[in-house]
Amino acid sequence: MSLYDYDLIVVGAGHAGIEACLVGARLGLKTLMVTTNTDRIGYMSCNPSIGGLAKGHMVREIDVLGGEMGLAADATCIQFKRLNSRKGPAVRGSRVQSDKHKYSAFMKKALQNEKHLAVLQGEVKKVLLNGKTCEGVVLQDGSEIRSKAVVLTTGTFLNGVMHVGMTQTPGGRIGDQASHGLSDQLLEAGFEVKRLKTGTPARLHKDSIDWSKTIPQFGDDRFYPFSFKSPHAYQLDQIACYLSRTTEKTHEIIRNNLHLSPMYCGIIEGVGPRYCPSIEDKVVRFADRDSHQTFLEPEGLDSDLIYLQGISTSLPLEVQDQFLRTIPGLENVQVVRYGYAVEYDYFEPTQIWHRLETRPIQRLFLAGQINGTSGYEEAAAQGFVAGINAAHAILNRPEFVLNRDQAYIGVLIDDLVTKGTREPYRMFTSRAEHRLVLREDNTIDRLADLSIKIGLHGAEAVDLLNDLRQRRQDLHEKLQNTKIYPNAETQEKLLSLKTSPLLKSVSYEELLRRAEVDSQSLASLGFDIDLDPNVCEPVEIQVKYAGYIKKQNELIEQTRRLEGLILPDHISYSDIKGLSTEETEKLSRIRPRTLGQAQRISGVNPSAIQAIMIYLKSRRLAGEELPLGKQSK
Amino acid sequence: MLQRDKDTICAVSTPQGHGGISVIRVSGPRALDVSRALCRFLPKNPESHKAYFGTLTTKDQQVEIDEVLALPFLGSKSFTGEEVVEISCHGNPILVQWILKELVTSGARLAERGEFTYRAFMNGKLDLVQAESVLSMIESQTQQSAQQSLRQLKGGLSEVVENIENELTWCLAHLEASIDFSQEGIEIVSSDELKLRLSKIKTSVDDLMKSYTAGRILREGLQIALAGVPNVGKSSLLNSLMGEEKAIVTDVPGTTRDLVEGAFILGGVRVLLSDTAGLREAQDKVEKIGIQKSLLRQKEADYILFAFDVSREFSEEEAKILEAYPTDKVFLIGNKLDLIGGDTQKATQILKKSPSLSNFFSRIANPEQFFKERVFFVSTFDKKSVDSLRNALSKHVEMSQIEDQTLIMQTRHFENLVKVEALIRAARELVSQDSSAEFIALELKQALILIQEILGKRFDDQIMDRVFKEFCIGK
């Protein structure tokens, strides 16, 4: 009988927990999920949607790497939009609105399908520690479950407190208990624990809304599923969302009741997200605006509940009733669940390695809101990375770290562990300095090799990945190698496409560079083109934006050498001559993984990088060949 | 931050200051190319370790800068183990700065402190003991880096650069908001407005590059303006300083109607001294033009010598004129000391207690120091008093303009401005082509990083901070 009950324990069943569990189980580890409420697996506690700008990118990355989120979102999509479709290819983002109950059910089924995975309802009070190593968890009843690694994905539940008006209730989400004990134990073990705040709007009964006063908003006709494995057709009926706006009256009521808002009378200490302010915040900070838009989003095909996007609040119930009824369409609204704010513990993420293992305690991994992030996609991305790294630690495989020029997931984690965060961290495209090459369309090109190496996909999916890449390559080569000649028929067709006639023969690639020409027009010119959007779109983008992509790649090249220089874990910065006190302190605390990351730490000067280089070279500590010249001796 | 080890770098490798010869070292993969851009006399394939003599010109070959010796070290047979060209020129600090600036324009960048030695070590040209001495050099640089900012430069320069930073951040915040928050129904900047703002930024950058002092002083000389109300003896002061009768001296107020210019050498620098028309309500047209010209000249001047008559009370009118000048440009020259018996102490007391000057002194951080360094009492009949003024001025010119750190920083700034200008131009072109925001942002973000380097700041999250401040965002 083994010393361990399980290989891997994942605490939490949210978007991070699910991905972590699935990775463990799919890599053959005996995995246990512990959650306080098995009815809330994969639950969308806030808005019923997946994706969006920069977030959609991460969902695709998770999908190519072998995660579940994309498949679940595709299968439960009831409205799809490609955002920024008129902008450049790098900043287009996919977003689906999901039927949240079907989404939950999809995830539950995915978990059930894994034979190595068990799910247990219970509350984890502590982690089992053997010195500086985590060896399992202790439940509420005192029972111990032993494992080789633990992933914590506790969301908003650690010391969670919900606020409505002046009332505070312990809990991480309406209807669910908070978790106590774990934070205190880790605080004692030397972790820095801080508070954050987030909020959610009211849920309304759909029959109490006068829809005629709202403006319907429809999704796109064309579906670009997140997963390369999903069919290109919608799997469920598609619905509309509805637009309405707050009024002067709404704002007046909110202003008159600010003294009852826990945000405004100092009760809430945690920092909330600036990109997702409560309606109180909007009214106060943007006093000159007389109206704010709100989208009414159905929570599902069979659900009676409407999510009121943009109006999160923690005002008292009667004030919520009052101000909601001043919004056109909501004059007689019936609130099913009121909005509230929640405060919770997070661990300053500069305490974890890129592999999401904590520095103070080995074999303990953190993912999701516990690291100070916000959003389902950010959580799932970390859950996935924590899952792989926990599994790799158990299986004695190398750590899995994505670079900033490889994936948004790499940007996310590097930002967290390098800079820490003071507000709930959300991904934006502007956080990615190499965003022109981190596109949704080239996710497969960026990550397929890595994914196949990780080995989460079945043979069929691997074939599909290879097939897509091969077809893209074939098409690109064919465009380069096939010429179009200026005969009468061609010129006439070109004119009908509103583009100038040819002066001499050119390759189809050259022709495709023209703004007026796209894949469809090439087809109409008689070019035999693979019109599968997973093939022709990425190739078209690669051709049309080649100049920008080249420029971005040059910038990446300039940073790559420092990024490739791994700093040994045990390096002692106080031994390095030439570092200032501030630099020594910061480098020792954050312990950068590469020289590139060291350079991104605020307060670390270029001269410090040189000092470290000389130190490494003189002691021959560098993980690989140094960038300059030959290694001496 | 970019990978900098592959750059071609340049710096003076002889001690700073006035010497007979200065040696400028250029090292890196493009050392020869960069040097040849200025030293056209260098053959395409020069011999290693052989000195070539010729005239070094500006990159555009419009101006001959100096006669120099250029000594290429090819392959890895050099101090740094890289391709190196050593240029020996005449030992005038401003000349050296000019050549460095031209090298930067041609694609080199200024070396960090200790960087040549650092490269030598990395290329196996030095041993560990020598390397340790490099580290201490780097350390001293780190300690200084906090001060390496524009604050050290004089005048309103830092304000101008901060304005550029501010404008760039504005443009980027709007561009980024239009990408990441396109669903929020927020106002997005129009391409006309963006173009306008970028053009303004470009003008500011162009102006900054033109004002690049080291080069300008060498080309045009240092500008010193003599100012003061009529009949305080400006013209005779000018004559004494220059040692020749240039201005017309009479005792009728308003005699100097035009700018009188004279050039002389002060602290190794050519100085253009201009006597400006006495400032007072002008009676006739010719005088009016003279006064307008002199106001303009005083605005452009590097220094303003404000002359007054010590035998008279410092008047409200004089104080009012003084108010208009930046205090760091002003020298107060009390003339006609002979009229009060040459008593400097008495003159000082009167000046300190003058009620009309209290406002001016309150603008000065350290009045004691100002009195020591910027206030002089002279009599044009007493050659010694004029000489001591001239010596003090000369010292000041040397201290402030040739002080090594300032010049080096200026060249660094210039280096960045050259790149910023190109990036802004590219961005404006993209706006005209109706490119998507992320492409424009790519150019502007690089420009912002360079501008912040000048300000001694580091690129961080300020664009998003600005977005959240200005736009109401959030679902």
Side-chain angles (χ1 to χ4, degrees), chain B residues 223-236:
Chain B
Q223 309 266 358
I224 298 184
L226 254 176
V229 296
N231 211 18
V232 293
K234 293 192 300 293
S235 299
S236 30

Side-chain angles (χ1 to χ4, degrees), chain A residues 23-71:
Chain A
V23 171
R26 285 170 182 171
L27 289 178
L29 300 179
K30 195 179 167 196
T31 305
L32 176 71
M33 171 186 264
V34 188
T35 169
T36 52
N37 188 347
T38 49
D39 290 336
R40 293 285 176 90
I41 288 173
Y43 191 72
M44 296 184 172
S45 310
C46 201
N47 60 329
S49 65
I50 299 283
L53 295 166
K55 289 164 170 270
H57 286 77
M58 287 194 289
V59 179
R60 287 185 197 275
E61 288 167 1
I62 295 167
D63 178 68
V64 171
L65 291 168
E68 202 66 15
M69 181 171 249
L71 282 171

Side-chain angles (χ1 to χ4, degrees), chain B residues 150-158 303 328 374 396 400-401:
Chain B
L150 196 71
R151 267 166 291 150
Q152 284 194 335
L153 284 185
K154 292 172 174 284
L157 212 52
S158 74
Y303 295 112
D328 59 352
R374 302 288 193 91
H396 204 87
S400 59
Q401 294 298 337

Side-chain angles (χ1 to χ4, degrees), chain A residues 204 206 208-214 244-245 296 324-333:
Chain A
L204 316 174
K206 69 171 201 254
S208 68
I209 296 168
D210 180 355
W211 296 102
S212 68
K213 292 183 177 162
T214 63
S244 187
R245 308 191 69 95
L296 285 71
L324 287 175
R325 290 184 178 167
T326 62
I327 296 173
L330 306 186
E331 292 82 358
N332 296 303
V333 80

Side-chain angles (χ1 to χ4, degrees), chain A residues 164-167 202 204 249-262 279-280 283 308 311-327 330 333 335 338-339:
Chain A
V164 182
M166 298 295 106
T167 317
L204 316 174
K249 191 78 191 140
T250 321
H251 298 187
E252 189 190 319
I253 295 170
I254 290 168
R255 268 194 298 272
N256 290 341
N257 286 285
L258 279 178
H259 60 288
L260 299 174
S261 158
I279 187 67
E280 294 94 293
V283 168
L308 192 59
I311 313 285
S312 92
T313 180
S314 53
L315 283 165
L317 312 184
E318 56 279 11
V319 180
Q320 292 192 30
D321 272 328
Q322 250 185 61
F323 83 69
L324 287 175
R325 290 184 178 167
T326 62
I327 296 173
L330 306 186
V333 80
V335 177
Y338 288 90

Side-chain angles (χ1 to χ4, degrees), chain A residues 13-127:
Chain A
H15 307 280
I18 289 170
E19 299 292 349
C21 278
L22 288 175
V23 171
R26 285 170 182 171
L27 289 178
L29 300 179
K30 195 179 167 196
T31 305
L32 176 71
M33 171 186 264
V34 188
T35 169
T36 52
N37 188 347
T38 49
D39 290 336
R40 293 285 176 90
I41 288 173
Y43 191 72
M44 296 184 172
S45 310
C46 201
N47 60 329
S49 65
I50 299 283
L53 295 166
K55 289 164 170 270
H57 286 77
M58 287 194 289
V59 179
R60 287 185 197 275
E61 288 167 1
I62 295 167
D63 178 68
V64 171
L65 291 168
E68 202 66 15
M69 181 171 249
L71 282 171
D74 290 340
T76 60
C77 166
I78 52 176
Q79 186 185 82
F80 171 82
K81 269 189 177 167
R82 177 183 262 189
L83 309 177
N84 282 349
S85 56
R86 286 158 173 273
K87 291 197 160 65
V91 296
R92 291 174 199 153
S94 310
R95 188 184 65 195
V96 307
Q97 214 187 303
S98 274
D99 180 312
K100 70 187 265 185
H101 301 292
K102 290 194 165 63
Y103 186 94
S104 249
F106 184 101
M107 284 304 193
K108 220 180 241 182
K109 202 166 160 214
L111 297 176
Q112 281 163 358
N113 285 344
E114 294 302 327
K115 58 178 182 194
H116 298 297
L117 180 66
V119 178
L120 173 74
Q121 182 157 312
E123 188 192 341
V124 169
K125 286 306 240 184
K126 277 169 135 186
V127 289

